[in-house]
């Protein structure tokens, strides 16, 4: 049986691995350490230093993805499941967003601060609710659709490398004095990797309001990728979603009930995407992808003879 099935069950039943054993946390530790060590210099030097940091994290992710191939059965299989599960986060995303559903504005502010990078101290109640829904829509792509898209194309290496790049962008991909050049390579690489998945996410949201989603998609010209799922979610819920000073999609004021509606839509889209991915995994047997990776479905009984990658 495909490692994907077990990785999905792990996520739905157990959630995230322990923090100290989570590969994405390891990526973050390394990025943070290298970021602190590099004293900012001239823009060109900062840019090349940032490139080296990104390549180091990508190389680490790739090395991790190859580890199962060097272990005996069933350790190879178990490690592959563990690493693949660490590349996506369905249950965890739901839990983080669900914590923002509270009448206590102070508690809501605290919960929202855990899922967005913006300063939430000055946000009023509607903008806190908006930030929660925006984070859900954006991370529907980053934490579910994109990792599984790259797993489908390139197996475990694709999923882990995507997660490494996405973590780089989340930590250093900002346009400010400290990261303008140091994080530029990571930010642009994340833009490239998310270009197709972000639009797949919009297509998955399309059945919930086709005409309005298309109309709002045309309004999403603020960013290359992340505003596309946000625009679609705004269209479906009929509420305005706004990051002050950056973008705003029209609608009525968002309320707590809209976060609950957004979570219901989230799970429907997750189910929709998982069905597509699992079907495609059965349809692409022995199909060479870009000449780099051959997808092959192996029966469980053959895994110890052929390794754990499909």
């Amino acid at each position: 049986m495909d490692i994907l099935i077990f990785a999905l069950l792990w996520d739905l039943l157990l959630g995230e691995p322990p923090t100290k054993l989570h590969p994405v946390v390891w990526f973050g530790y390394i990025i943070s350490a290298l970021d602190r060590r590099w004293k900012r210099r001239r823009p060109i030097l900062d840019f090349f230093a940032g490139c080296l940091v990104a390549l180091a994290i990508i190389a680490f992710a790739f090395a991790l993805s190859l580890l199962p191939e060097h272990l005996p059965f069933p350790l190879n299989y178990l490690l592959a499941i563990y690493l693949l599960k660490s590349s996506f986060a369905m249950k965890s995303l739901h839990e983080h967003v669900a914590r923002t559903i509270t009448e206590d504005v102070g508690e809501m502010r605290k919960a929202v601060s855990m899922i967005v990078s913006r300063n939430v101290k000055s946000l009023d109640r509607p903008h806190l609710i908006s930030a929660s829904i925006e984070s859900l829509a954006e991370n529907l792509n980053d934490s579910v659709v994109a990792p599984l898209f790259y797993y489908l194309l390139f197996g475990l290496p694709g999923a882990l490398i995507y997660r490494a790049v996405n973590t780089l962008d989340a930590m250093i991909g900002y346009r400010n004095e400290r990261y303008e050049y140091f994080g530029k390579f990571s930010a642009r690489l994340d833009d490239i990797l998310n270009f197709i998945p972000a639009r797949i996410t919009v297509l998955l949201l399309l059945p919930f309001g086709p005409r309005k989603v298309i109309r709002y998609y045309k309004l999403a010209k603020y960013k290359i990728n992340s505003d596309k799922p946000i625009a679609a979610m705004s269209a479906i819920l009929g509420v305005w979603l706004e990051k002050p000073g950056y973008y705003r999609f029209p609608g009525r004021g968002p309320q707590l009930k809209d976060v609950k509606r957004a979570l219901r839509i989230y799970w429907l889209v997750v189910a929709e995407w998982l069905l597509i991915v699992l079907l495609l995994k059965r349809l692409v047997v022995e199909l060479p992808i870009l000449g780099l990776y051959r997808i092959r479905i192996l029966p469980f009984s053959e895994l110890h003879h052929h390794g754990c990658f499909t």
Side-chain angles (χ1 to χ4, degrees):
M1 189 180 292
D2 196 328
I3 65 170
L4 177 59
I5 298 294
F6 289 104
L8 293 172
L9 289 174
W10 180 320
D11 183 282
L12 294 171
L13 297 176
L14 302 176
E16 294 305 298
T19 300
K20 291 184 178 180
L21 298 177
H22 203 306
V24 176
V25 176
W26 300 343
F27 298 156
Y29 284 153
I30 299 171
I31 295 166
S32 181
L34 294 174
D35 179 19
R36 288 195 306 269
R37 287 183 65 86
W38 178 256
K39 305 301 180 184
R40 299 306 188 263
R41 298 174 173 83
R42 289 183 296 171
I44 188 66
L45 294 177
D46 290 346
F47 175 75
F48 280 113
C51 290
L52 292 175
V53 168
L55 293 174
I57 300 301
I58 290 169
F60 178 57
F62 183 64
L64 278 180
S65 73
L66 298 182
L67 281 179
E69 292 187 343
H70 301 285
L71 295 175
F73 182 85
L75 293 179
N76 59 347
Y77 197 69
L78 294 173
L79 181 58
I81 293 169
Y82 182 79
L83 292 174
L84 178 57
K85 186 272 151 288
S86 71
S87 72
F88 60 86
M90 299 181 297
K91 184 178 180 180
S92 176
L93 177 56
H94 171 95
E95 290 173 344
H96 278 82
V97 173
R99 291 190 191 107
T100 69
I101 304 174
T102 173
E103 296 293 340
D104 187 320
V105 176
E107 287 298 315
M108 185 190 300
R109 197 182 309 279
K110 182 179 178 181
V112 170
S113 71
M114 301 297 292
I115 58 175
V116 299
S117 59
R118 74 192 70 171
N119 186 345
V120 301
K121 292 180 180 179
S122 61
L123 297 183
D124 58 19
R125 180 186 172 90
H127 281 93
L128 288 170
I129 295 172
S130 173
S132 176
I133 297 172
E134 292 167 55
S135 180
L136 178 65
E138 182 176 356
N139 283 289
L140 170 58
N141 174 72
D142 294 359
S143 296
V144 182
V145 175
L148 295 181
F149 173 77
Y150 284 105
Y151 171 71
L152 187 63
L153 288 183
F154 304 113
L156 184 56
L160 276 184
I161 288 173
Y162 169 79
R163 177 52 64 200
V165 172
N166 190 247
T167 305
L168 281 159
D169 179 64
M171 294 187 68
I172 63 174
Y174 298 103
R175 300 200 67 177
N176 55 32
E177 185 178 355
R178 181 171 180 80
Y179 296 117
E180 175 67 28
Y181 297 99
F182 186 75
K184 188 177 291 293
F185 179 77
S186 295
R188 296 293 79 80
L189 187 56
D190 185 74
D191 286 342
I192 293 169
L193 292 185
N194 274 309
F195 188 85
I196 295 175
R199 285 148 183 84
I200 291 176
T201 303
V202 173
L203 289 175
L204 293 170
L205 288 162
L206 196 62
F208 300 95
R211 292 183 180 180
K212 200 170 181 182
V213 168
I214 292 172
R215 180 156 59 88
Y216 272 55
Y217 178 83
K218 294 177 181 179
L219 300 175
K221 299 178 180 179
Y222 304 98
K223 296 185 176 183
I224 296 175
N225 300 312
S226 61
D227 62 342
K228 308 301 184 287
I230 293 171
M233 188 65 79
S234 175
I236 294 166
L237 296 176
V239 301
W240 59 255
L241 296 178
E242 178 184 28
K243 183 176 182 179
Y246 291 90
Y247 57 77
R248 180 185 173 93
F249 298 103
R252 61 172 174 79
Q255 303 173 30
L256 282 180
K257 65 179 182 181
D258 296 308
V259 181
K260 296 177 182 179
R261 289 177 59 211
L263 284 170
R264 288 195 293 270
I265 292 167
Y266 164 75
W267 281 113
L268 289 172
V269 172
V270 167
E272 190 181 358
W273 179 230
L274 293 184
L275 179 61
I276 291 170
V277 170
L278 292 171
L279 286 174
L280 286 176
K281 286 290 290 180
R282 295 300 179 264
L283 293 174
V284 293
V285 176
E286 293 298 323
L287 177 66
I289 302 295
L290 301 181
L292 297 174
Y293 185 79
R294 184 179 293 274
I295 299 173
R296 177 171 167 75
I297 306 301
L298 292 174
F300 186 89
S301 60
E302 294 183 34
L303 283 166
H304 65 289
H305 295 301
H306 299 280
C308 62
F309 294 103
T310 59

PDB file of all heavy atoms in Angstrom, residues 184-198:
ATOM      1  N   LYS A 184      15.660  37.242  -0.809  1.00  0.00           N
ATOM      2  CA  LYS A 184      15.055  37.398  -2.140  1.00  0.00           C
ATOM      3  C   LYS A 184      15.009  36.082  -2.916  1.00  0.00           C
ATOM      4  O   LYS A 184      13.992  35.738  -3.526  1.00  0.00           O
ATOM      5  CB  LYS A 184      15.826  38.452  -2.948  1.00  0.00           C
ATOM      6  CG  LYS A 184      15.143  38.825  -4.267  1.00  0.00           C
ATOM      7  CD  LYS A 184      15.900  39.917  -4.990  1.00  0.00           C
ATOM      8  CE  LYS A 184      15.806  41.247  -4.262  1.00  0.00           C
ATOM      9  NZ  LYS A 184      14.410  41.767  -4.293  1.00  0.00           N
ATOM     10  N   PHE A 185      16.104  35.335  -2.908  1.00  0.00           N
ATOM     11  CA  PHE A 185      16.148  34.069  -3.651  1.00  0.00           C
ATOM     12  C   PHE A 185      15.092  33.101  -3.122  1.00  0.00           C
ATOM     13  O   PHE A 185      14.368  32.470  -3.905  1.00  0.00           O
ATOM     14  CB  PHE A 185      17.538  33.449  -3.535  1.00  0.00           C
ATOM     15  CG  PHE A 185      17.678  32.128  -4.246  1.00  0.00           C
ATOM     16  CD1 PHE A 185      17.806  32.067  -5.623  1.00  0.00           C
ATOM     17  CD2 PHE A 185      17.665  30.935  -3.528  1.00  0.00           C
ATOM     18  CE1 PHE A 185      17.927  30.850  -6.282  1.00  0.00           C
ATOM     19  CE2 PHE A 185      17.787  29.706  -4.171  1.00  0.00           C
ATOM     20  CZ  PHE A 185      17.919  29.667  -5.554  1.00  0.00           C
ATOM     21  N   SER A 186      14.978  32.989  -1.812  1.00  0.00           N
ATOM     22  CA  SER A 186      13.989  32.093  -1.207  1.00  0.00           C
ATOM     23  C   SER A 186      12.567  32.512  -1.575  1.00  0.00           C
ATOM     24  O   SER A 186      11.719  31.661  -1.898  1.00  0.00           O
ATOM     25  CB  SER A 186      14.145  32.086   0.316  1.00  0.00           C
ATOM     26  OG  SER A 186      15.391  31.540   0.696  1.00  0.00           O
ATOM     27  N   ALA A 187      12.307  33.819  -1.532  1.00  0.00           N
ATOM     28  CA  ALA A 187      10.969  34.315  -1.845  1.00  0.00           C
ATOM     29  C   ALA A 187      10.595  34.033  -3.302  1.00  0.00           C
ATOM     30  O   ALA A 187       9.477  33.596  -3.597  1.00  0.00           O
ATOM     31  CB  ALA A 187      10.889  35.809  -1.558  1.00  0.00           C
ATOM     32  N   ARG A 188      11.545  34.275  -4.219  1.00  0.00           N
ATOM     33  CA  ARG A 188      11.253  34.045  -5.629  1.00  0.00           C
ATOM     34  C   ARG A 188      11.099  32.557  -5.933  1.00  0.00           C
ATOM     35  O   ARG A 188      10.272  32.165  -6.752  1.00  0.00           O
ATOM     36  CB  ARG A 188      12.366  34.648  -6.493  1.00  0.00           C
ATOM     37  CG  ARG A 188      12.504  36.153  -6.403  1.00  0.00           C
ATOM     38  CD  ARG A 188      11.317  36.918  -7.000  1.00  0.00           C
ATOM     39  NE  ARG A 188      10.174  36.956  -6.111  1.00  0.00           N
ATOM     40  CZ  ARG A 188      10.055  37.794  -5.075  1.00  0.00           C
ATOM     41  NH1 ARG A 188      11.022  38.649  -4.787  1.00  0.00           N
ATOM     42  NH2 ARG A 188       8.970  37.788  -4.321  1.00  0.00           N
ATOM     43  N   LEU A 189      11.907  31.727  -5.278  1.00  0.00           N
ATOM     44  CA  LEU A 189      11.795  30.289  -5.487  1.00  0.00           C
ATOM     45  C   LEU A 189      10.449  29.781  -4.986  1.00  0.00           C
ATOM     46  O   LEU A 189       9.801  28.941  -5.630  1.00  0.00           O
ATOM     47  CB  LEU A 189      12.937  29.567  -4.769  1.00  0.00           C
ATOM     48  CG  LEU A 189      13.077  28.062  -5.019  1.00  0.00           C
ATOM     49  CD1 LEU A 189      13.210  27.766  -6.506  1.00  0.00           C
ATOM     50  CD2 LEU A 189      14.278  27.509  -4.262  1.00  0.00           C
ATOM     51  N   ASP A 190       9.995  30.305  -3.853  1.00  0.00           N
ATOM     52  CA  ASP A 190       8.681  29.949  -3.331  1.00  0.00           C
ATOM     53  C   ASP A 190       7.581  30.388  -4.293  1.00  0.00           C
ATOM     54  O   ASP A 190       6.599  29.664  -4.497  1.00  0.00           O
ATOM     55  CB  ASP A 190       8.484  30.596  -1.966  1.00  0.00           C
ATOM     56  CG  ASP A 190       7.173  30.171  -1.308  1.00  0.00           C
ATOM     57  OD1 ASP A 190       7.093  29.029  -0.834  1.00  0.00           O
ATOM     58  OD2 ASP A 190       6.227  30.993  -1.285  1.00  0.00           O
ATOM     59  N   ASP A 191       7.733  31.565  -4.892  1.00  0.00           N
ATOM     60  CA  ASP A 191       6.761  32.036  -5.889  1.00  0.00           C
ATOM     61  C   ASP A 191       6.663  31.057  -7.057  1.00  0.00           C
ATOM     62  O   ASP A 191       5.566  30.734  -7.530  1.00  0.00           O
ATOM     63  CB  ASP A 191       7.172  33.409  -6.426  1.00  0.00           C
ATOM     64  CG  ASP A 191       6.926  34.527  -5.430  1.00  0.00           C
ATOM     65  OD1 ASP A 191       6.143  34.322  -4.476  1.00  0.00           O
ATOM     66  OD2 ASP A 191       7.534  35.606  -5.595  1.00  0.00           O
ATOM     67  N   ILE A 192       7.810  30.587  -7.520  1.00  0.00           N
ATOM     68  CA  ILE A 192       7.836  29.669  -8.656  1.00  0.00           C
ATOM     69  C   ILE A 192       7.160  28.349  -8.303  1.00  0.00           C
ATOM     70  O   ILE A 192       6.320  27.840  -9.052  1.00  0.00           O
ATOM     71  CB  ILE A 192       9.289  29.423  -9.113  1.00  0.00           C
ATOM     72  CG1 ILE A 192       9.884  30.709  -9.711  1.00  0.00           C
ATOM     73  CG2 ILE A 192       9.352  28.290 -10.138  1.00  0.00           C
ATOM     74  CD1 ILE A 192      11.382  30.648  -9.945  1.00  0.00           C
ATOM     75  N   LEU A 193       7.510  27.795  -7.143  1.00  0.00           N
ATOM     76  CA  LEU A 193       6.962  26.493  -6.754  1.00  0.00           C
ATOM     77  C   LEU A 193       5.465  26.557  -6.461  1.00  0.00           C
ATOM     78  O   LEU A 193       4.758  25.559  -6.636  1.00  0.00           O
ATOM     79  CB  LEU A 193       7.706  25.949  -5.532  1.00  0.00           C
ATOM     80  CG  LEU A 193       9.166  25.548  -5.742  1.00  0.00           C
ATOM     81  CD1 LEU A 193       9.735  24.918  -4.480  1.00  0.00           C
ATOM     82  CD2 LEU A 193       9.318  24.585  -6.918  1.00  0.00           C
ATOM     83  N   ASN A 194       4.970  27.706  -6.032  1.00  0.00           N
ATOM     84  CA  ASN A 194       3.553  27.823  -5.687  1.00  0.00           C
ATOM     85  C   ASN A 194       2.680  28.282  -6.848  1.00  0.00           C
ATOM     86  O   ASN A 194       1.449  28.332  -6.703  1.00  0.00           O
ATOM     87  CB  ASN A 194       3.372  28.783  -4.509  1.00  0.00           C
ATOM     88  CG  ASN A 194       3.536  28.086  -3.178  1.00  0.00           C
ATOM     89  OD1 ASN A 194       2.933  27.060  -2.919  1.00  0.00           O
ATOM     90  ND2 ASN A 194       4.387  28.640  -2.323  1.00  0.00           N
ATOM     91  N   PHE A 195       3.273  28.610  -7.976  1.00  0.00           N
ATOM     92  CA  PHE A 195       2.504  29.183  -9.075  1.00  0.00           C
ATOM     93  C   PHE A 195       1.385  28.238  -9.535  1.00  0.00           C
ATOM     94  O   PHE A 195       0.215  28.642  -9.626  1.00  0.00           O
ATOM     95  CB  PHE A 195       3.413  29.518 -10.259  1.00  0.00           C
ATOM     96  CG  PHE A 195       2.710  30.289 -11.345  1.00  0.00           C
ATOM     97  CD1 PHE A 195       2.597  31.666 -11.260  1.00  0.00           C
ATOM     98  CD2 PHE A 195       2.150  29.637 -12.434  1.00  0.00           C
ATOM     99  CE1 PHE A 195       1.935  32.382 -12.254  1.00  0.00           C
ATOM    100  CE2 PHE A 195       1.487  30.345 -13.424  1.00  0.00           C
ATOM    101  CZ  PHE A 195       1.387  31.719 -13.330  1.00  0.00           C
ATOM    102  N   ILE A 196       1.706  27.006  -9.796  1.00  0.00           N
ATOM    103  CA  ILE A 196       0.691  26.047 -10.244  1.00  0.00           C
ATOM    104  C   ILE A 196      -0.214  25.605  -9.090  1.00  0.00           C
ATOM    105  O   ILE A 196      -1.448  25.632  -9.227  1.00  0.00           O
ATOM    106  CB  ILE A 196       1.343  24.835 -10.933  1.00  0.00           C
ATOM    107  CG1 ILE A 196       2.038  25.283 -12.229  1.00  0.00           C
ATOM    108  CG2 ILE A 196       0.308  23.753 -11.231  1.00  0.00           C
ATOM    109  CD1 ILE A 196       2.814  24.189 -12.931  1.00  0.00           C
ATOM    110  N   PRO A 197       0.340  25.193  -7.933  1.00  0.00           N
ATOM    111  CA  PRO A 197      -0.547  24.762  -6.841  1.00  0.00           C
ATOM    112  C   PRO A 197      -1.558  25.814  -6.392  1.00  0.00           C
ATOM    113  O   PRO A 197      -2.697  25.468  -6.065  1.00  0.00           O
ATOM    114  CB  PRO A 197       0.443  24.432  -5.708  1.00  0.00           C
ATOM    115  CG  PRO A 197       1.698  24.042  -6.412  1.00  0.00           C
ATOM    116  CD  PRO A 197       1.762  24.947  -7.609  1.00  0.00           C
ATOM    117  N   ALA A 198      -1.157  27.096  -6.365  1.00  0.00           N
ATOM    118  CA  ALA A 198      -2.097  28.137  -5.936  1.00  0.00           C
ATOM    119  C   ALA A 198      -3.303  28.198  -6.858  1.00  0.00           C
ATOM    120  O   ALA A 198      -4.443  28.416  -6.412  1.00  0.00           O
ATOM    121  CB  ALA A 198      -1.392  29.493  -5.888  1.00  0.00           C
TER     122      ALA A 198
END
